[in-house]
Structures are given as C-alpha cells and as structure tokens.
Amino acid sequence: MQEYIYYNKNGLDFPLSEKIQVTTNLDDLEGKSFLISNSNELKSEFIANEIDFYIKNSQDNFSDKISNVLKLYEINGIKFDFAQDISQDLHISNSLMVVYENVEDYNNFVKNLKKDEFELYRVEEKLIKEIKNSIGNFEVIVNSNDKKIVLNTSQIVWFNQKLKKVKKGIFDPSLTSIEEILESLRENIDSFSFRKTITYDKSICQYHERKDEICSKCEEVCPTNAIRKDEENRRLVFSLVDCITCGECISSCPSGALSSAATSRDSLYEISQFYKKTKPLIISSKSNIKDINVALKINVLPLSIIGDIFDEAMFLTYLQVSGSQLIYFSNDISKGTFESIRIINDIYMKKYGKIAVYLVKNIDELEDALEKQEFIENSYYNFNQSDMKKREIFSYRLQNLVGNDDLGVVKTGEHIHYGRVLVNEANCTLCLSCVGACNVDALFANESDFTLRVNPSLCTACGYCEAVCPETDCLTINYDELELNPTWFKESILAKDKLFACVECGVEFATTKAIEKIARMMEPIFAKQSPAKARSLYCCANCKPKVMIMEELSKNAKYTN
C-alpha cells in the first residue's frame, strides 16, 4: 500500500511534495490502494477533506502551500496510526415492526412494501411499554390483556415516535419520506456496519462501581441510546451502534475516562505539534467542510475532527503549542465544548486581555474571526504530555500560564467542574477513606510525615470523598471555582497526625487521632467489663489477644489456688 495520493482531474497550479503521488487519471490507479487521499473516488484508508479545502481557500504562497499540504497528509497519517475505531458488522434480519397510533398511517406504509420482503409486526403505540437494545436486536415490551409480552425485531418504523433518546434502526415517517425509509430498511438487511466510536477507562470513571451516584454526565448529555446506566451495579453500558459521534460525552467527561476512538487524546497532542507558529482552524464534523468557502488568511491551517471532542485541556494544548488564538467551527456545539471555551476564554482574558477561542457556526462568523485571529505574545509553551490524564495535562499547562501571578478566580459550571477540598483538621482521624475514593490522585497520603494532602488542580469536584467521609463536620468541597494562583497547583496539607505506639510492645500501628476516637467511644463500655479489655484499645493487633489471654490466665490461676 502506498501512503499519500492526490487526485484532481484538472490538475494543480503548483507542485506537491515528492512524498505525495499526484494523478489526474483514475484509470492509472486501478487495483491500487492508499493510506491517505483527498477524494472518495480513490481506494484509501483515510479521506482527508481538509486538503482540498485548504488548497481551494488558502492565501498562503506556493512554498507554504507545498509544505502545509504535506502537513495535512501527515496529520491524517497520525490519525490513522492512533485510531481505534474498528469497523464491526451486525446481522440484520428482515423482521420489521410498524408502530402506529392511526391505522391509516399503517395501511399507507405497508402498501409500499413488496410481497413477503419483511417479516412484519404491527403494534398500536398505546400498547408499548418499553423498547430495549438496538438495531438488529430490539426487544419491544408490549401490554396485552394486562400481561407483558416481549416481541423481538430487527428494525422499527414508528409514526411520530415518542422515545426521549434516539435509537438507530427506529425510523419516523413524519421526519422523512416513506421511500427514503424503505431504502434504508432494505440496505440495512444487506449490510449494516458501524465503528467503535469511543474508548473508556473505567479506572478513572466517576460513576463506575461507586456507592453513591456522583457523576453520570456522559449518560445525561448523550442524545441517543449509546450510553446507559446500570444503576444496580453502578456501571456504564455502551451501545456504540447507536452513537452518532457528536462528542457530547467526551467533552463533558470530567476525568477524561472517555476518549474518541477515531482521534484519541494522544493523537491530538501529536497532531498539535504541526501547529507551532501556525493559526489553527478546528472544524468539527458537525459542520460540513465541503460547504465552507472562505478565504483563509496567511498561516491558517485547518484541522478536521469527528464531533466536538475538544475539552479545556486540549484547547489549552493547541493554544500554547501554536502560540495563537484558535477558531473553532461547529454548527451544533456540544455542551462540554461550549463550556470549555468559555472557561478558557475567561482565563485568557485575565492573563492576556484577549479572547482565546473564537467559536463560530456560520460563514459570516468565520470570516469575522479570521480577520481577528492573531498570535498571542509569550503564550507558547510545550512539553511531552503523551499518556497523561486529562486533568494532569490541564494542570501542567495552566500552571505555566499562571506562573507567579494571582489572576483571581474563574467560575466553572454545570458540565465542567473544578473545586478545592477543605478539611476540618480537628475532626479528621486520617482514616484515608477520602484517598481511597479519589481515582484522579487529587487526594493522597504522605507516609513519610503521616499527612493527608491535596493537589486542587487535579480535583474533579465529584464529591465522592465528601460522601464517604465517616466523620461529622470534617470534609467539604468549595465547588465550581478554579483559582488562578500558584497555590492551586501545589500540594497542601489538609490534616496531620503522629503514629500511636502500642502500650504493650511499642510498635506504631495507627494514627493517634483514630485510637483516641475509638477509645473515647469504647473505653467507658470496655472498662466495665474488664481492665484488660479497656487496655486492648491501645494495643496493636498482635498484642490485643495476648492482653486478654493473660487476664484470663491470671483469673484461672486465682481460682486454682
């Protein structure tokens, strides 16, 4: 397989890099396949629509165009190398259910069917109680004579469907024509494939197997059936066949547990290196790049991504690597990306007095942003962030931006949370339940000096540490504030104690506060039972039974004598 191919039947008015094969005739390429191409008329693994977009619209000189076109091929090569969006095939039978409220709608639909082309079910809308699963494997629960019956079908036609979330394989004739629906139904039976769209790291998920539900933002913002909650086991259930690659879940995930399978966080970082001293124009697939006709200013380089997958950490990466303001084009911005842009813009206004990201949704706004976009003096910063978590990346980059300044506070909001953990040291016994609850390493114990510490910049303000803390009036969180000062990025001590030595053997085995708390509760009770039992409260695990046994032996010796 050759790597790069460029096809244009009319040719180009400037040469391309020798690394890119150029052709004006498809007949010359019969039987050949390529890694990256600019056209879907060629057999290739990746089609980079931004290449023709750049060539058509850029005002760069020929020399820069030659260099930048090669960059665009190499950027898509990185996407290919890192991609995990594996194609999957799904069996679709010819079973079809038609759900209707008005029988005339049903009759009007079925008269368009060919004889015996579908195994047909008809169900009145009022009988439906629930629809489970996805295309190819729907379970429709209906109420028949006060009994629940489960009907299995591969696809559904539902007039004026009432589902709150979209499911692929359910077609609504009120939104399109019957002819178009029939064409889709028939095509799906022949061949239905989908791609893995997101990757998931349950180890840093704020929902996975937690005692209390303190985060399910991804399920909340998902417009389809792609992410559901198994509330009994506190686990996320994914139906990626239903995913529409909008990016809502990825941009809203507080810890970075979700990432794009097509363009991962690491691949976005590698791609960012091509934008040093360049003005990035990031175009979400929600906006069709082929429909955008605008004069690109000198030194503007596009980046096409699938969905709104940028969050505050990735925005800051591209801002600092490029040293320039960004333009972000999306027709239907995701909630998380919108809030990330607002937070980043608030930060840049405090630091540089300039907007960081121009959010545009149409050509007029894009043209205006291109006129305003500029490099921001002294904003460049870079380091190797490969394999780092989302919060770590943002912390390192923001710390560099803040430096020794105190820029005040930026408020976060409904979809992106930051906060500071506060501890009433007098009531903390250093049981470390909060440390066990924190899966982003914001809270941790320092064994060398027996302290409980926090790094505020890593905290997702999920609230789980607050929920599991067993002490009264001990741990709280100052929610939805991001402090732009040096202390925000430094470890701070929340509580400190010293180890308690066993009164029998002298081995240190627990914190003093923990022993004192237990003793305050239990010593009045144990003292009434026996002096040894009361003393055992201050003993290590090895000495507790010894103390009790010695007391019993002493008693038995007295009785014997």
Side-chain angles (χ1 to χ4, degrees), residues 96-347:
L96 173 66
M97 178 177 290
V98 181
V99 181
Y100 61 93
E101 187 176 19
N102 186 334
V103 70
E104 291 182 6
D105 289 333
Y106 172 80
N107 292 332
N108 186 45
F109 178 78
V110 297
K111 72 181 183 181
N112 291 276
L113 301 181
K114 300 173 184 176
K115 185 179 179 181
D116 299 329
E117 71 171 320
F118 291 105
E119 180 185 346
L120 198 63
Y121 300 90
R122 56 181 288 182
V123 177
E124 286 189 76
E125 181 183 285
K126 64 182 180 181
L127 299 179
I128 291 183
K129 297 301 177 186
E130 186 179 1
I131 296 180
K132 294 182 177 181
N133 302 334
S134 303
I135 183 171
N137 188 33
F138 285 120
E139 290 185 359
V140 182
I141 301 172
V142 299
N143 190 2
S144 178
N145 298 322
D146 296 325
K147 291 184 179 179
K148 289 184 178 180
I149 297 176
V150 178
L151 301 176
N152 297 301
T153 187
S154 283
Q155 301 185 87
I156 298 172
V157 172
W158 187 347
F159 290 85
N160 302 303
Q161 69 101 356
K162 304 297 192 299
L163 293 177
K164 292 181 180 179
K165 293 199 171 187
V166 176
K167 286 175 179 275
K168 283 185 182 176
I170 299 181
F171 302 89
D172 186 348
S174 66
L175 301 177
T176 184
S177 69
I178 289 177
E179 291 75 17
E180 289 178 329
I181 287 176
L182 285 172
E183 184 179 353
S184 297
L185 292 170
R186 290 162 180 156
E187 286 180 354
N188 288 342
I189 293 174
D190 292 335
S191 176
F192 185 87
S193 62
F194 65 98
R195 288 186 175 275
K196 178 182 178 181
T197 50
I198 56 177
T199 59
Y200 173 56
D201 182 356
K202 65 184 180 182
S203 69
I204 57 173
C205 175
Q206 309 288 281
Y207 180 82
H208 183 72
E209 294 184 350
R210 294 200 156 185
K211 181 180 67 174
D212 298 299
E213 182 177 325
I214 46 84
C215 180
S216 56
K217 185 60 65 178
C218 57
E219 187 271 343
E220 178 186 323
V221 300
C222 179
T224 73
N225 197 48
I227 303 177
R228 304 189 307 277
K229 294 185 294 184
D230 174 359
E231 297 191 28
E232 182 179 351
N233 298 302
R234 286 278 196 271
R235 293 179 181 177
L236 296 177
V237 179
F238 296 92
S239 175
L240 297 186
V241 66
D242 288 313
C243 181
I244 57 174
T245 62
C246 64
E248 289 277 3
C249 59
I250 294 168
S251 61
S252 295
C253 180
S255 64
L258 296 174
S259 185
S260 168
T263 318
S264 67
R265 197 175 303 278
D266 281 346
S267 70
L268 282 174
Y269 167 67
E270 294 297 330
I271 291 168
S272 73
Q273 307 308 300
F274 288 92
Y275 288 84
K276 185 176 180 180
K277 297 181 180 179
T278 299
K279 297 176 180 178
L281 167 58
I282 302 164
I283 303 175
S284 167
S285 58
K286 293 181 178 181
S287 302
N288 189 348
I289 197 169
K290 292 182 179 180
D291 295 336
I292 303 173
N293 295 304
V294 62
L296 296 182
K297 299 295 181 181
I298 293 173
N299 218 7
V300 173
L301 189 65
L303 171 63
S304 179
I305 57 172
I306 300 176
D308 289 332
I309 58 174
F310 268 59
D311 52 37
E312 66 275 21
M314 203 48 61
F315 275 122
L316 193 50
T317 296
Y318 275 73
L319 283 161
Q320 291 185 330
V321 172
S322 69
S324 166
Q325 294 170 311
L326 308 184
I327 300 176
Y328 191 87
F329 197 140
S330 179
N331 284 341
D332 183 21
I333 190 76
S334 73
K335 299 177 181 69
T337 298
F338 180 82
E339 196 163 309
S340 293
I341 290 174
R342 196 269 301 164
I343 291 170
I344 291 293
N345 281 341
D346 285 352
I347 293 170

Side-chain angles (χ1 to χ4, degrees), residues 273-476:
Q273 307 308 300
F274 288 92
Y275 288 84
K276 185 176 180 180
K277 297 181 180 179
T278 299
K279 297 176 180 178
L281 167 58
I282 302 164
I283 303 175
S284 167
S285 58
K286 293 181 178 181
S287 302
N288 189 348
I289 197 169
K290 292 182 179 180
D291 295 336
I292 303 173
N293 295 304
V294 62
L296 296 182
K297 299 295 181 181
I298 293 173
N299 218 7
V300 173
L301 189 65
L303 171 63
S304 179
I305 57 172
I306 300 176
D308 289 332
I309 58 174
F310 268 59
D311 52 37
E312 66 275 21
M314 203 48 61
F315 275 122
L316 193 50
T317 296
Y318 275 73
L319 283 161
Q320 291 185 330
V321 172
S322 69
S324 166
Q325 294 170 311
L326 308 184
I327 300 176
Y328 191 87
F329 197 140
S330 179
N331 284 341
D332 183 21
I333 190 76
S334 73
K335 299 177 181 69
T337 298
F338 180 82
E339 196 163 309
S340 293
I341 290 174
R342 196 269 301 164
I343 291 170
I344 291 293
N345 281 341
D346 285 352
I347 293 170
Y348 263 59
M349 285 301 297
K350 287 178 178 291
K351 177 67 176 183
Y352 302 109
K354 295 181 180 181
I355 193 171
V357 183
Y358 290 100
L359 174 60
V360 300
K361 58 181 180 296
N362 56 52
I363 300 298
D364 290 341
E365 291 178 353
L366 176 57
E367 289 177 339
D368 183 60
L370 287 166
E371 289 291 337
K372 296 175 180 177
Q373 188 180 21
E374 63 181 353
F375 291 104
I376 298 178
E377 189 176 357
N378 298 322
S379 64
Y380 172 80
Y381 173 63
N382 200 15
F383 65 96
N384 186 357
Q385 65 189 46
S386 298
D387 299 323
M388 291 179 67
K389 298 174 184 175
K390 168 185 172 179
R391 289 288 169 130
E392 293 173 329
I393 295 168
F394 190 64
S395 173
Y396 273 81
R397 291 195 171 279
L398 187 59
Q399 183 176 13
N400 176 268
L401 184 151
V402 171
N404 295 319
D405 296 336
D406 186 346
L407 303 176
V409 172
V410 166
K411 294 287 185 179
T412 56
E414 179 183 358
H415 297 281
I416 296 175
H417 299 285
Y418 284 81
R420 181 184 282 272
V421 176
L422 305 172
V423 168
N424 180 355
E425 188 173 5
N427 293 343
C428 177
T429 60
L430 271 81
C431 70
L432 303 184
S433 295
C434 56
V435 173
C438 182
N439 62 3
V440 293
D441 300 324
L443 284 166
F444 54 97
N446 188 325
E447 296 181 359
S448 64
D449 60 0
F450 310 111
T451 56
L452 169 64
R453 298 183 176 224
V454 67
N455 181 338
S457 67
L458 300 180
C459 178
T460 64
C462 68
Y464 197 46
C465 58
E466 191 174 19
V468 302
C469 179
E471 308 301 337
T472 303
D473 187 27
C474 181
L475 188 150
T476 56

